Amino acid sequence: MTLPSTAREIHLASRPTGYPTEANFELVEAPVPTPGDGQLLVRNLVMSVDPYMRGRMNDAESYIAPFRVGEVLEGGAVGEVVASNAAGFAVGDVVLHFAGWREYAAVDAAGAVPVDPGVAPVNAYLGVLGMPGMTAYAGLLDVAGFREGDVVFVSGAAGAVGQVAGQVARLRGAKRVVGSAGSAEKVAYLVDELGFDAAFNYKDGPVADQLAAAAPDGIDVYFDNVGGDHLDAALRSFNAHGRAALCGSISNYNTPDPVGPRHLGLAVGKRLTLRGFLIGDHEHVRGEFTREVGGWVADGSLRYRETVTEGIEHAPEAFIGMLRGDNIGKALVTL
Ligand code: NDP
């Protein structure tokens, strides 16, 4: 295969205030890199757009460094090795790595994980069988300490993480699984396709009222992807000794003035446990996650969707659309 001398990548043009716009990104034609010793040249097939990338667009201290203005962005991607200077990797291998947002990447072999497109489609390694799926699994089981018979509420339930979290709860024996999402189509997806017991559109009315109606006997576990009024509603619906996995707070990512829960005081009397977590600390569940969720995907008992945008030039649009709720399931960009 003859390699091109240049290829496209997306740079951060400027930092957004509020919701990002396409003007914050720049499509740049750059030389295809030459892999050094111990590196692979990878032609990316698919890349991930994730909510946490919004935080990296700010110039702010966080658990992960900010993107740099004028430089290429990064994130999860799966691609095919087209040249290898590293033992153990050959041309044609397919690898998961962290140099997305570009068509060709020079990747350290140490940062490349081989994946088998014969076991699952490459997209799945960025979604249901990848970081978001494992986040759902670890958050529900490890962080919230889910137990059979719990009533579980999942917000952002029709997204990459939420769609898995709700189904793991169902398949592990939840008494009732309730989800919230931002459209009637998503609500129907949750109930009709994924087997949630109840779901509501949080845009239809106060979250607290809708949650109370959907879970009349209260909730035991809350998987929080949204924060703000959703977390507040969960505090009010919690039964005694309820447990929340604080996974994300996307309702506050694009506002300079975040909304916090007003009913945190209820945590005292109800003896609640509210635990934040980062998936990077839960590597120990990977084996069990891959076996159990992989098995459910293979036998069809766990279903999932992806929203796939084609072309690196549309990656900013896919990212912005995901932040606004255009996606059902994992948002991906094929290159
Ligand atoms: P999703 O696939 O769920 O996409 C984001 C979704 O957020 C949108 O589709 C939209 O759906 C919803 N959303 C946007 N704005 C709002 C709002 N104001 N209120 C409620 N919902 C909103 O993304 P992921 O599944 O990848 O991520 C879900 C959450 O998990 C995020 O908070 C993310 O930061 C977090 N996360 C945390 C990790 C960790 O280690 N702690 C790891 C991975 C993800 P809708 O139409 O329903 O509004």
Side-chain angles (χ1 to χ4, degrees):
M1 175 189 174
T2 321
L3 293 174
S5 56
T6 62
R8 296 174 299 171
E9 57 188 40
I10 306 280
H11 289 201
L12 181 67
S14 56
R15 300 197 187 278
T17 314
Y19 276 96
T21 68
E22 293 203 35
N24 298 126
F25 302 88
E26 189 185 5
L27 182 66
V28 174
E29 190 81 26
V32 169
T34 306
D37 254 7
Q39 284 195 321
L40 317 168
L41 181 64
V42 177
R43 182 174 69 85
N44 280 335
L45 303 169
V46 57
M47 57 166 267
S48 181
V49 287
D50 296 276
Y52 77 86
M53 293 170 176
R54 174 63 188 85
R56 296 193 71 186
M57 296 180 84
N58 297 335
D59 190 14
E61 277 295 306
S62 174
Y63 61 92
I64 185 165
F67 292 135
R68 282 201 260 235
V69 175
E71 291 188 13
V72 63
L73 303 180
E74 63 177 12
V78 175
E80 183 185 0
V81 175
V82 292
S84 172
N85 286 339
F89 290 89
V91 169
D93 285 354
V94 177
V95 292
L96 170 69
H97 61 93
F98 206 61
W101 294 92
R102 66 201 89 181
E103 291 177 307
Y104 284 84
V107 175
D108 289 340
V113 179
V115 297
D116 187 346
V119 169
V122 289
N123 292 5
Y125 294 103
L126 295 172
V128 66
L129 298 180
M131 185 276 282
M134 194 161 117
T135 300
Y137 192 83
L140 186 76
L141 303 178
D142 237 17
V143 180
F146 168 82
R147 295 187 290 260
E148 201 179 326
D150 280 340
V151 176
V152 176
F153 172 45
V154 181
S155 58
V161 174
Q163 64 178 353
V164 179
Q167 291 185 90
V168 172
R170 169 174 62 75
L171 290 159
R172 281 285 194 110
K175 184 171 170 197
R176 185 170 178 79
V177 182
V178 175
S180 68
S183 72
E185 185 189 2
K186 291 184 182 187
V187 166
Y189 169 60
L190 295 175
V191 174
D192 300 341
E193 279 188 49
L194 304 190
F196 281 58
D197 298 287
F200 60 86
N201 178 351
Y202 66 86
K203 295 173 183 166
D204 282 351
V207 181
D209 295 350
Q210 296 199 75
L211 177 58
D217 297 328
I219 62 170
D220 304 302
V221 164
Y222 174 42
F223 194 106
D224 187 20
N225 287 315
V226 168
D229 55 352
H230 277 79
L231 179 54
D232 210 38
L235 287 165
R236 292 167 72 179
S237 272
F238 261 129
N239 296 322
H241 304 288
R243 291 145 279 137
L246 305 183
C247 177
S249 57
I250 195 161
S251 66
N252 286 320
Y253 290 179
N254 294 294
T255 164
D257 191 20
V259 176
R262 288 175 300 137
H263 293 92
L264 194 56
L266 291 172
V268 178
K270 295 187 183 191
R271 287 87 96 207
L272 303 180
T273 304
L274 312 174
R275 272 184 76 191
F277 74 104
L278 291 173
I279 188 54
D281 297 336
H282 294 263
E283 199 50 41
H284 56 275
V285 308
R286 184 175 295 279
E288 195 191 347
F289 157 71
T290 304
R291 244 186 339 274
E292 189 164 27
V293 174
W296 286 330
V297 169
D299 72 16
S301 46
L302 189 148
R303 303 172 71 168
Y304 66 96
R305 284 205 204 170
E306 294 162 347
T307 297
V308 180
T309 302
E310 278 178 39
I312 191 167
E313 67 278 20
H314 297 302
E317 189 182 316
F319 172 67
I320 296 164
M322 176 276 299
L323 291 175
R324 292 196 181 274
D326 292 349
N327 59 310
I328 297 189
K330 179 71 191 111
L332 296 168
V333 181
T334 52
L335 308 182

